[in-house]
Amino acid sequence: MSSRRTVAVAGSLVAASFSALVIFSGTAGAEDEGPASGKGGKVVDEAPAGVKLTTLLPGRISVDNSSEKTSLTATVKNEGSKDSGKIRLLVVGFDGLTVKNVQGCSAIAENNLPEGSNSGFSCPIDNLAAGKSKSYAVYATYDLGKTGKICLPVQTSDGKKTFWQQGPVPFGTTNPSPDAPATPLLLGTDNEPVSPDKPKSPDREELPKTGKELPRTGPARDLLPLGAAGASLLAAGAAGMWWSQRRRPVRQEG
């Protein structure tokens, strides 16, 4: 094979490999939150006839172990047959989970926060049409040395009635990885706090819980079956098969 052709083939492979890396990286980021779930939610006050308000949180989030930063999507839906009228969505953090910002929403003053919470934002909605939903980007930090919970109440615009409340529902892991770049947390799972210099003790007492104003809601919590490691192995296997099918034998030149 001539040197010019060798360089051309090598360059094509490098470019294709880079493209595949970008595609897989983008896919991993887009799928990081997993399927949305209403776990831990319940009706509190009866909504107007024909209005059915619910919320959704991602089934999985990821916390950067060095910066403690994380992000997620909070969604409010009107599954009824009539428009909602003026309502508001609250995004409230508890314990190790602190809400830093919610796109398009206003911070709740400290003296107006629900009891036991450490942060919160209020998202006014003029009207949510029947069958429609509205999503908000939530930016937070998570102290992995603690448990962490989030709550999404949907209220009248004046806050006098709460039509729906998801949480306070925990995000957590029962298998902490303090030495990894990031820790995946699952919705509805109590976090097992651990630090590199203080291994988890099997008989360690659970950290005390704070706040009783917003009720704990939902059924018993179950661990989601598929972790980030399993997904990565599946993606790697699929990529290998794809490349092996595309490769063609190179004819020798005389």
Side-chain angles (χ1 to χ4, degrees):
M1 182 185 295
S2 67
S3 58
R4 179 178 299 176
R5 183 172 180 183
T6 301
V7 171
V9 171
S12 299
L13 289 175
V14 169
S17 300
F18 179 77
S19 299
L21 178 61
V22 171
I23 291 171
F24 281 114
S25 299
T27 303
E31 295 178 354
D32 189 50
E33 291 193 343
S37 171
K39 180 179 289 189
K42 72 170 186 178
V43 173
V44 181
D45 296 315
E46 186 177 355
V51 177
K52 184 181 179 182
L53 297 166
T54 61
T55 56
L56 295 171
L57 285 166
R60 181 175 63 249
I61 63 174
S62 182
V63 177
D64 186 285
N65 284 348
S66 58
S67 68
E68 297 186 340
K69 292 181 179 180
T70 186
S71 62
L72 56 95
T73 302
T75 301
V76 57
K77 298 177 64 178
N78 181 4
E79 298 177 342
S81 58
K82 294 185 177 180
D83 293 359
S84 69
K86 289 187 176 182
I87 57 173
R88 70 180 186 182
L89 170 71
L90 303 185
V91 182
V92 185
F94 290 80
D95 303 335
L97 192 156
T98 303
V99 181
K100 294 294 186 180
N101 190 31
V102 180
Q103 191 172 22
C105 305
S106 302
I108 300 173
E110 187 175 352
N111 60 343
N112 289 328
L113 287 172
E115 183 181 351
S117 66
N118 57 41
S119 54
F121 281 74
S122 176
C123 309
I125 302 171
D126 287 338
N127 182 60
L128 193 59
K132 298 298 183 179
S133 64
K134 188 173 179 63
S135 296
Y136 296 88
V138 179
Y139 303 94
T141 58
Y142 195 114
D143 183 348
L144 293 168
K146 302 178 182 179
T147 58
K149 294 181 278 296
I150 192 169
C151 189
L152 301 182
V154 183
Q155 304 178 330
T156 53
S157 58
D158 59 9
K160 292 183 178 180
K161 286 188 177 182
T162 299
F163 297 133
W164 170 269
Q165 180 175 302
Q166 185 175 5
V169 61
F171 274 105
T173 177
T174 56
N175 185 26
S177 303
D179 297 325
T183 297
L185 303 181
L186 303 179
L187 180 67
T189 301
D190 287 313
N191 193 46
E192 291 284 348
V194 69
S195 60
D197 56 349
K198 186 178 180 181
K200 180 176 64 175
S201 173
D203 57 353
R204 176 178 54 79
E205 293 184 1
E206 189 175 301
L207 293 178
K209 303 190 187 304
T210 60
K212 294 183 180 179
E213 181 175 311
L214 294 176
R216 297 175 67 88
T217 59
R221 304 180 186 112
D222 299 319
L223 184 68
L224 297 183
L226 182 61
S232 299
L233 288 174
L234 289 174
M241 291 178 62
W242 188 81
W243 279 111
S244 63
Q245 291 172 0
R246 284 184 58 87
R247 293 187 59 187
R248 297 180 180 176
V250 179
R251 291 181 299 176
Q252 296 290 335
E253 294 186 357

